[in-house]
Amino acid sequence: MISVAVVGCGAIGGVVARALHEGEVVGARLAGVVDPNGTRGLPGMSLEEALAAADLVVEAAGQAVLADVGPRVVAAGRDLLVVSVGALTDDALLARLHGAGDGRVHLVSGAVGGLDMLRSAARMGPFETVRIVTTKKPAGLVQPWMSAAEADRVRATDRPLEVRRGPAREIAAAFPRSTNVAAAVALAVGDWDVVEAVVVADPAASLTSHVITASGAAGEYRFEIRNRPSPDNPTTSQVVPYAVLRAIGDLAAPSGAFR
Ligand SMILES: NC(=O)c1ccc[n+]([C@@H]2O[C@H](COP(=O)([O-])OP(=O)(O)OC[C@H]3O[C@@H](n4cnc5c(N)ncnc54)[C@H](O)[C@@H]3O)[C@@H](O)[C@H]2O)c1
């Protein structure tokens, strides 16, 4: 039985922590939840208590929290499951996590699939092109760095509008809550430079879609994912906490899991 602490009790962490608390993941139990803004009736604890009590710490709180808490988890010899994968556009943070100590760092696949195949294919040989096109409702794509005119144009569009296109690292950093997926694809293929990311605002997008296309030595791939947004946080897809629970289940009871 592994003991799991969840850092961040929002749209993702709240669902993960409750399922663990209710014994829904074989081989894992909730140690407690770390969130200064409340733990939704679940057992709360400080980060220090989490580092003492948990075998695995799930970060589901945001990029800045990962940068602060992640290295401390690894330094304490605890395993870390990263949900804010977009933070890893920062190579220095990834190096800090890997060098911090004995804890292992795991990344959650989150809102997308196909990462296993992309990793297999990248191992055979390099990709020539990889693209991820993310389409979601306009409101979640307005960013603080946009000019007032651009923000208005995104908010008011009555048809699909390409908001940005560029290298995955740039796009993931520019849309931190919406492009964890671009970072996940780049990390899966092991090459930030080959991955182009496109962000589209579509007022009719009741589902958030990600279309991943890739072509290289191993073949040609196309994955299309259409996720229902979380009722708690429309920039997060509802499936993400279940990707976290699957990952915890794989770590807790590894026999028979897909690898
Ligand atoms: N990997 C993926 O595919 C994927 C998909 C969606 C979201 N995400 C990322 O996951 C993260 C969480 O998303 P969410 O939708 O649950 O967000 P959310 O805003 O609903 O929840 C975040 C929670 O973190 C808490 N928090 C803030 N500071 C904290 C701190 N110092 N310590 C502990 N808790 C703290 C907040 O109180 C809040 O409850 C975000 O970074 C988001 O970008 C990843």
Side-chain angles (χ1 to χ4, degrees):
M1 185 65 84
I2 64 166
S3 174
V4 184
V6 179
V7 177
C9 196
I12 298 171
V15 174
V16 170
R18 180 143 325 268
L20 287 167
H21 190 56
E22 291 176 0
E24 288 174 17
V25 181
V26 175
R29 64 172 189 86
L30 182 70
V33 181
V34 182
D35 193 325
N37 300 310
T39 60
R40 303 188 187 202
L42 292 159
M45 56 179 15
S46 66
L47 180 66
E48 290 67 29
E49 287 168 332
L51 295 182
D55 304 300
L56 173 71
V57 176
V58 177
E59 171 284 318
Q63 297 194 2
V65 180
L66 173 66
D68 173 31
V69 166
R72 292 161 71 187
V73 172
V74 178
R78 306 308 187 190
D79 288 354
L80 172 70
L81 182 59
V82 176
V83 178
S84 300
V85 174
L88 303 179
T89 53
D90 178 2
D91 290 336
L93 173 59
L94 192 55
R96 234 165 16 103
L97 287 174
H98 285 318
D102 290 340
R104 287 173 302 168
V105 180
H106 306 283
L107 312 183
V108 82
S109 56
V112 285
L115 302 179
D116 51 351
M117 177 57 85
L118 292 176
R119 290 177 61 206
S120 307
R123 181 166 283 270
M124 184 184 145
F127 280 106
E128 281 141 29
T129 61
V130 182
R131 180 174 300 118
I132 172 161
V133 181
T134 293
T135 303
K136 57 168 63 178
K137 287 237 187 250
L141 293 174
V142 174
Q143 300 297 319
W145 48 259
M146 286 179 176
S147 67
E150 180 172 21
D152 285 347
R153 194 162 57 94
V154 173
R155 260 189 227 103
T157 187
D158 60 359
R159 68 201 66 199
L161 171 74
E162 185 175 305
V163 181
R164 277 291 184 287
R165 173 185 294 261
R169 196 192 294 272
E170 215 171 87
I171 301 296
F175 298 85
R177 297 195 66 100
S178 295
T179 50
N180 288 287
V181 290
V185 168
L187 290 162
V189 302
D191 182 353
W192 281 94
D193 296 332
V194 80
V195 182
E196 180 184 55
V198 184
V199 175
V200 177
D202 181 357
S206 53
L207 302 180
T208 296
S209 81
H210 305 286
V211 178
I212 302 165
T213 47
S215 126
E220 295 182 357
Y221 305 92
R222 186 179 196 281
F223 308 100
E224 176 165 358
I225 293 109
R226 289 163 59 78
N227 285 323
R228 212 167 293 292
S230 161
D232 288 346
N233 180 353
T235 64
T236 286
S237 293
Q238 207 169 356
V239 74
V240 177
Y242 299 93
V244 177
L245 290 167
R246 180 193 50 73
I248 296 170
D250 289 353
L251 292 169
S255 175
F258 281 110
R259 294 283 175 197

